[in-house]
Amino acid sequence: MSPALPHGLPPGRILSGPMPVWVSDEFPDDVGQLWSRLRYGQASSGLVPLLVRPDVIGSPLGLDRVDSVCLHEVLPAAFAAYRRARLPFWTAPRTVPTPDDVEPWPHDPGPPYAKWPGFAPAVQSESPATAPASQAAALLDEVTGPEPAYRLALVRARRAADALAALGWTADAPLALLCALLRSWEERFGAQLVAVSGSEVHLAVARPPVSAEHARLLAVEHVLTTAHNIVDDPPTPFPEYAERLVGRTHWSFWWD
């Protein structure tokens, strides 16, 4: 990392390794304002601001691995495999025994598509494809809580969508595919990676889906990340998950 760090940073240090990363010593009190300033200065600094947990940094994934992911080829095949595996449960649901004080798991009819339905259309906007500072600040408050374990980090990357690869994020997720999807969501929805923990990623979304069908198409893309919180944990019927995406400016994903 270049020694020319932005001015006005809180106390912190550069973690040495394959991809040096600057990390604050503590969680900044003014993180929302600071994050926004750093985000808008990213084009000149080449440094992506993120909230991270200190244990998320591993060996960087080469961007050639991300570049090689052709979503137009990968996602139709992934959806076909997902549908084959899930169809018996969608069409002939089994009753799962639960304790008397626990609600039975709801039946999930699955996505209403027999084959890959295509990408959710981009939401057009005259504004830049970046999450407004107010959305990011609200997300920061939501994910960090009163006693945050996150730290502010500066990651050298061309765009926020590539920061996970630069960090070498170590969660049990298909990292190259996820980064390719983040790039696409960044372009279509103004989705920006904001926070990363050992198993979770959080995005602030400037231009979320605006209709039920739009959200259903996007929900299929979310399912194919393999994240466990998408319809599986807690058990959530696909139509219900998709409905929640309409107008939603915070997307989160986690893997066991």
Side-chain angles (χ1 to χ4, degrees):
M1 177 176 292
S2 168
L5 292 169
H7 295 294
L9 293 177
R13 65 195 187 281
I14 295 177
L15 302 181
S16 61
M19 178 63 72
V21 176
W22 179 89
V23 179
S24 65
D25 292 336
E26 302 291 341
F27 184 78
D29 293 333
D30 59 344
V31 66
Q33 181 179 3
L34 179 58
W35 187 92
S36 298
R37 177 170 63 81
L38 294 170
R39 176 68 188 87
Y40 289 123
Q42 176 187 325
S44 57
S45 70
L47 300 173
V48 175
L50 291 178
L51 289 186
V52 304
R53 303 259 183 141
D55 60 348
V56 305
I57 301 172
S59 298
L61 178 72
L63 290 184
D64 58 324
R65 296 274 302 279
V66 182
D67 296 340
S68 69
V69 176
C70 178
L71 293 177
H72 290 276
E73 297 176 357
V74 172
L75 294 187
F79 180 74
Y82 176 79
R83 190 173 186 274
R84 284 195 300 271
R86 297 293 183 110
L87 191 59
F89 302 98
W90 295 338
T91 56
R94 295 182 298 176
T95 301
V96 178
T98 58
D100 293 339
D101 58 345
V102 176
E103 289 291 329
W105 287 3
H107 169 55
D108 182 5
Y113 310 110
K115 61 180 182 180
W116 166 244
F119 292 92
V123 178
Q124 302 300 324
S125 173
E126 295 180 359
S127 62
T130 56
S134 59
Q135 292 175 0
L139 189 156
L140 295 173
D141 288 341
E142 184 176 342
V143 302
T144 56
E147 297 183 3
Y150 285 90
R151 297 293 180 264
L152 177 66
L154 293 177
V155 183
R156 184 163 296 286
R158 294 179 302 185
R159 54 196 293 182
D162 291 343
L164 281 183
L167 284 173
W169 188 52
T170 56
D172 185 20
L175 185 53
L177 171 63
L178 181 60
C179 289
L181 281 168
L182 290 177
R183 287 177 174 180
S184 184
W185 294 338
E186 189 177 276
E187 295 164 357
R188 284 182 286 149
F189 302 103
Q192 293 289 320
L193 181 66
V194 172
V196 185
S197 75
S199 60
E200 302 177 12
V201 297
H202 298 269
L203 313 180
V205 184
R207 305 187 304 276
V210 294
S211 69
E213 175 59 19
H214 197 185
R216 281 192 290 270
L217 292 172
L218 176 63
V220 172
E221 297 179 35
H222 283 200
V223 163
L224 298 182
T225 66
T226 74
H228 293 109
N229 66 311
I230 311 301
V231 310
D232 284 338
D233 191 2
T236 306
F238 178 88
E240 182 178 328
Y241 177 80
E243 182 180 355
R244 294 175 185 173
L245 290 177
V246 176
R248 185 169 178 82
T249 57
H250 173 194
W251 302 347
S252 61
F253 305 86
W254 67 263
W255 291 258
D256 284 336

